[in-house]
Amino acid sequence: FELSVALDTLRRVDLAGQGRPLAPFPKHDLTTGELHVIAGAVGGTQAHVVISAGALTRRNRPIFDAPSHIEDLALTLDRVVFVSDGFVGIASREGECRTTWIATGVAAPSPVHAHVADDTVVLVALTPMFERWTLHPAAGSIEREVLDPTPRRFARCGSVIVGGAPRLLWTTGDGTIGQHDLVASRHVHHNLRPDVPGDLVFVADATRPSDADGGWLVGFVHNSSGVRTELYVIDAADITGPPIATVPIPRPIPHGLRCAWIPSTQH
């Protein structure tokens, strides 16, 4: 649906065409402006649909050989990674959707970031543990590395990484906020119990462009009673410190909602 600035519903938008159903997690490529979605197709199959910036054109790429239903996807500069129960698939972003499927033996993870490293594809994902998967398309194999064994529900990268590996990521789950340094292989948790953090979005600070943690985490924190919800603003460089600001919300907000930060054009 298209929304107004005041969040009123303006109209229904048929992104994939022909009224086809969509998987719930589209991906926006900041380098091209394209929107990538997984849509239903004829006979119960699925398709990778790419909507151009401005939504003037779309490319439809049928996926015929998926071993199970595709739940999500991740993007590198030149490849797309399809995520399903028990498998991940790697395909080029151009031409036909010829996919190399690799068995994982686990339920579909939530992909956080993907990038190419030599002849492998590295996928950072929640399983719900926080893991790094190194995928070898030529060998059809996978290496799994657990970065944080505690259950995590949401994860966000810091400043936008074009084609490369992120250094810092932030996660929430189990009543905690986590900062993860993928280069130093360490993480730190900040305990908010009994309150429960939801999806915290990283918002970059224009005055700290060279800092990997130069920004804020913005999102909802739920009181354990389920009655009170607050909007938190936290310095991403100091997650153990008190929030910079809190805004009480006059009604309960459901747990598990994903959030987006939309810069305002009005001041």
Side-chain angles (χ1 to χ4, degrees):
F1 292 89
E2 180 181 352
L3 306 180
S4 70
V5 173
L7 301 183
D8 296 319
T9 300
L10 298 180
R11 64 189 180 99
R12 184 183 180 91
V13 180
D14 187 6
L15 284 175
Q18 303 174 4
R20 291 181 293 177
L22 303 178
F25 306 118
K27 294 297 184 292
H28 181 218
D29 187 340
L30 297 177
T31 61
T32 65
E34 295 173 337
L35 185 68
H36 294 248
V37 301
I38 299 296
V42 178
T45 61
Q46 293 177 284
H48 174 214
V49 181
V50 183
I51 299 102
S52 67
L56 297 178
T57 62
R58 73 166 69 93
R59 290 186 288 122
N60 183 70
R61 308 199 314 156
I63 306 170
F64 296 111
D65 57 350
S68 59
H69 192 78
I70 300 172
E71 303 288 347
D72 208 336
L73 61 84
L75 301 172
T76 75
L77 286 178
D78 58 358
R79 302 186 194 185
V80 56
V81 180
F82 301 121
V83 177
S84 68
D85 284 339
F87 296 88
V88 292
I90 302 172
S92 169
R93 286 175 54 165
E94 303 298 331
E96 295 183 7
C97 200
R98 296 179 179 177
T99 308
T100 298
W101 293 98
I102 300 174
T104 65
V106 299
S110 298
V112 180
H113 185 274
H115 67 276
V116 173
D118 297 325
D119 58 351
T120 69
V121 175
V122 178
L123 177 68
V124 180
L126 304 183
T127 64
M129 294 185 296
F130 189 48
E131 299 191 33
R132 178 165 48 204
W133 292 6
T134 302
L135 309 171
H136 300 265
S141 62
I142 177 175
E143 299 173 37
R144 294 177 59 185
E145 177 186 3
V146 176
L147 303 174
D148 186 348
T150 61
R152 318 308 295 163
R153 298 194 65 184
F154 299 102
R156 293 283 185 166
C157 295
S159 299
V160 176
I161 304 296
V162 179
R167 176 180 177 180
L168 295 179
L169 293 98
W170 289 264
T171 64
T172 59
D174 194 28
T176 62
I177 303 171
Q179 184 191 69
H180 306 262
D181 189 326
L182 302 190
V183 175
S185 298
R186 66 170 181 262
H187 64 265
V188 59
H189 285 180
H190 177 45
N191 192 352
L192 292 180
R193 297 183 186 93
D195 294 341
V196 180
D199 183 18
L200 300 182
V201 180
F202 181 88
V203 181
D205 180 0
T207 66
R208 296 181 283 170
S210 60
D211 296 340
D213 54 6
W216 303 276
L217 302 178
V218 181
F220 295 123
V221 175
H222 310 273
N223 181 262
S224 58
S225 67
V227 176
R228 189 182 76 247
T229 301
E230 291 181 300
L231 179 71
Y232 268 44
V233 180
I234 301 168
D235 190 340
D238 182 20
I239 65 169
T240 62
I244 295 173
T246 60
V247 181
I249 307 299
R251 70 176 73 181
I253 302 294
H255 288 217
L257 291 181
R258 290 177 179 262
C259 298
W261 178 263
I262 303 173
S264 175
T265 57
Q266 299 179 352
H267 301 283

